[in-house]
Amino acid sequence: MAEPMLKIDNIDVYYGAIHALKGISLEVNQGEIVTLIGANGAGKSTTLRTISGLLKPKNGSITFMGKNIAGVPAHQIVREGISQVPEGRRVFAEMTVMENLDLGAFVRKDKAGIQKDLKTVFELFPRLAERRNQSAGTLSGGEQQMLAMGRALMSRPKLLLLDEPSMGLAPLLIKEIFHIIEDINKSGTTVLLVEQNANMALSIANRAYVLETGRITLSGAAQELAASEDVRKAYLGG
Ligand SMILES: Nc1ncnc2c1ncn2[C@@H]1O[C@H](COP(=O)(O)OP(=O)(O)OP(=O)(O)O)[C@@H](O)[C@H]1O
Ligand SMILES: [Mg+2]
């Protein structure tokens, strides 16, 4: 079998004295959608922020496409092909939609490729095209989520990290965002998706990991976890 695209092996992450990740191991294979589910404070965002280089594990390794990237700075991680859409979107409010998207391509110099990807982003998110000159801070919550995803795609990532893309969105828009995640994946981008909305996440994922207070407690095929009694009780509302 081929090596996984991303392999996290036994990492520990601390915030000062707080031991947030306690020996986490997980793998993401090329082409997959993998979801990480768990309650508030379980360590989901911490896991993504460690992969994207914003936090440094105290020990353990993170291997991406054969390279150890644990502790590599965030801007370098983007160059390696990993892009994160952070929790709460964090678009640059004072800048326009276009300026935010341009920033997403900061690691690239291939002008033609950037233009092509901009076109793809506007096809995925037509609303961004209509609002390209609007300042990002005046977009609706859903539109800001689209912009944050579009901006991440502008670096043409091999692996896209999504931190709770459905947060605060109306049910119809959540459906739309999940369809778009599937489209992004079908066009060749591997996805690691963190979600509170476990039902939706498990419905589009190949595999899943359950995180509880800094530890992986369950993992397996998404369909199997969705059918498991324990997962249903804890995360799917019975
Ligand atoms: N900057 C920080 N300083 C100190 N502790 C932190 C910091 N960020 C997170 N933590 C702690 O680390 C633990 C994991 O937090 P994390 O944000 O990864 O959880 P999460 O699973 O993403 O939760 P949520 O679903 O609420 O977003 C929590 O106990 C949290 O209080
Ligand atoms: Mg979080």
Side-chain angles (χ1 to χ4, degrees):
M1 237 184 74
E3 281 290 300
M5 176 183 250
L6 178 77
K7 185 176 165 68
I8 298 182
D9 193 22
N10 204 25
I11 57 167
D12 284 83
V13 175
Y14 292 79
Y15 294 102
I18 297 168
H19 195 177
L21 300 185
K22 301 165 183 162
I24 298 266
S25 297
L26 65 84
E27 293 177 1
V28 179
N29 297 305
Q30 181 138 20
E32 280 189 313
I33 298 178
V34 172
T35 185
L36 195 54
I37 59 180
N40 291 119
K44 304 180 301 294
S45 297
T46 301
T47 303
L48 293 194
R49 299 180 74 228
T50 307
I51 297 168
S52 63
L54 297 168
L55 296 168
K56 195 174 150 72
K58 186 153 193 197
N59 45 261
S61 66
I62 305 176
T63 312
F64 179 67
M65 314 220 19
K67 271 193 200 173
N68 188 359
I69 58 160
V72 170
H75 63 91
Q76 189 58 37
I77 299 270
V78 176
R79 286 180 210 280
E80 297 291 341
I82 300 178
S83 190
Q84 179 174 11
V85 181
E87 190 176 325
R89 292 126 208 177
R90 291 200 227 122
V91 294
F92 297 101
E94 306 299 318
M95 296 183 172
T96 66
V97 166
M98 259 322 292
E99 286 165 343
N100 270 272
L101 292 173
D102 284 340
L103 272 178
F106 78 97
V107 296
R108 303 173 61 183
K109 293 207 174 66
D110 56 321
K111 285 220 173 93
I114 292 171
Q115 278 313 312
K116 182 167 168 283
D117 289 347
L118 186 63
K119 195 164 160 270
T120 308
V121 165
F122 283 153
E123 279 164 12
L124 281 171
F125 304 106
R127 278 192 246 182
L128 293 183
E130 292 161 18
R131 289 167 175 76
R132 68 179 80 198
N133 296 318
Q134 189 172 327
S135 63
T138 64
L139 297 173
S140 74
E143 289 159 3
Q144 289 188 22
Q145 181 61 47
M146 294 174 188
L147 178 56
M149 289 173 69
R151 188 180 59 190
L153 289 172
M154 288 305 293
S155 69
R156 196 181 279 191
K158 300 180 179 89
L159 174 63
L160 182 66
L161 309 176
L162 294 167
D163 197 346
E164 301 203 31
S166 78
M167 199 195 330
L169 304 186
L172 264 181
L173 193 53
I174 293 177
K175 273 200 169 161
E176 192 181 328
I177 292 282
F178 273 80
H179 278 305
I180 292 169
I181 295 169
E182 286 187 293
D183 285 344
I184 291 168
N185 176 251
K186 279 183 196 135
S187 68
T189 310
T190 305
V191 176
L192 179 56
L193 168 67
V194 158
E195 262 298 335
Q196 293 270 346
N197 193 330
N199 263 316
M200 289 294 283
L202 290 171
S203 76
I204 66 164
N206 303 103
R207 290 186 309 108
Y209 293 86
V210 176
L211 199 52
E212 279 177 39
T213 55
R215 290 195 172 85
I216 305 275
T217 52
L218 270 174
S219 65
Q223 283 183 334
E224 281 166 28
L225 288 198
S228 121
E229 185 90 2
D230 290 347
V231 173
R232 296 208 72 78
K233 272 196 196 130
Y235 303 105
L236 304 175

